[in-house]
């Protein structure tokens, strides 16, 4: 009987437990399609980035371009001022132009002193200080201010002390009463004298 037995079947190779599972044929085709799409998308993105960088560099180069060449037109003053005319040496730039002169103060003199009158010269009995009461009449033809300097003299004519009286904006022909106060005690019999009158036209 043993001679009639069929031969044993050939041994089938056993798959290794460490080998990856076999991939079906349809899945291999899809994997290749995915790889192709990924490569194509990467190329498209790379091209878009290159175009973006080129446009940025182009705009930057335009912004830092050299300034335009200077114009040959004459320089114009931004403030609209007239150009300065140089005057020849030795000539007065103000010559020939009308100059409005300001009125100068009138110094002491007969005309101004005639406007001031001493109406009273008295000594204070309590403190012994002398004062002079004055009346000022503006004898000029315009309003004026006055400064009157008064001296206080002893019996021999020596100056013991002095005082000042002032008034402002006195109209022509108008009068005002003011007082010039001396400083310091003086003896009885002290007299008063107008030393100087300044009249300033207003």
């Amino acid at each position: 009987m043993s001679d009639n037995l069929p031969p044993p079947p050939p041994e089938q190779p056993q798959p290794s437990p460490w080998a990856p599972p076999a991939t079906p044929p349809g899945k291999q085709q899809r994997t290749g399609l995915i790889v192709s799409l990924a490569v194509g998308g990467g190329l498209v993105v790379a091209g878009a980035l290159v175009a973006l960088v080129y446009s940025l560099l182009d705009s930057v180069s335009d912004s830092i371009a050299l300034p335009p060449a200077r114009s040959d037109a004459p320089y114009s003053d931004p403030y609209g001022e007239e150009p300065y005319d140089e005057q020849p040496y030795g000539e007065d730039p103000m010559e020939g132009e009308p100059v409005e002169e300001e009125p100068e103060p009138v110094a002491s003199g007969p005309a101004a002193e005639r406007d001031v009158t001493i109406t009273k010269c008295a000594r204070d009995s309590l403190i012994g200080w002398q004062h002079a009461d004055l009346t000022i009449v503006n004898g000029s033809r315009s309003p004026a201010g006055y400064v009157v300097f008064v001296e206080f003299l002893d019996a021999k004519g020596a100056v013991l002390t002095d005082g000042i009286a002032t008034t402002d904006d006195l109209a022509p022909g108008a009068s005002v009463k003011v007082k010039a106060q001396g400083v310091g005690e003086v003896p009885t019999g002290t007299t008063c004298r107008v030393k100087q009158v300044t009249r300033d036209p207003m």
Side-chain angles (χ1 to χ4, degrees), residues 5-135:
L5 293 174
E11 292 184 0
Q12 298 293 332
Q14 298 294 328
S16 173
W18 308 107
T23 305
K27 195 170 183 180
Q28 284 183 349
Q29 293 177 359
R30 281 184 285 174
T31 303
L33 179 62
I34 291 173
V35 170
S36 299
L37 291 176
V39 171
L43 291 175
V44 170
V45 171
L49 287 176
V50 169
L52 179 62
V53 170
Y54 178 77
S55 64
L56 287 175
L57 291 177
D58 191 29
S59 63
V60 170
S61 64
D62 290 342
S63 64
I64 61 175
L66 293 175
R70 295 182 60 183
S71 172
D72 294 334
Y75 173 76
S76 59
D77 194 344
Y79 298 103
E81 296 181 357
E82 296 181 359
Y84 175 74
D85 294 333
E86 295 185 359
Q87 298 293 334
Y89 178 76
E91 293 186 6
D92 187 1
M94 300 300 292
E95 185 177 355
E97 296 183 5
V99 178
E100 184 177 342
E101 297 183 359
E102 297 182 357
E104 298 182 358
V106 178
S108 62
E113 290 181 0
R114 283 197 298 266
D115 294 347
V116 180
T117 303
I118 298 176
T119 58
K120 182 178 180 181
C121 183
R123 177 178 178 273
D124 190 298
S125 59
L126 294 178
I127 61 175
W129 289 19
Q130 193 86 2
H131 73 272
D133 292 338
L134 310 172
T135 298

Side-chain angles (χ1 to χ4, degrees), residues 126-149:
L126 294 178
I127 61 175
W129 289 19
Q130 193 86 2
H131 73 272
D133 292 338
L134 310 172
T135 298
I136 303 174
V137 179
N138 185 356
S140 67
R141 292 176 292 179
S142 63
Y146 286 81
V147 180
V148 182
F149 299 88

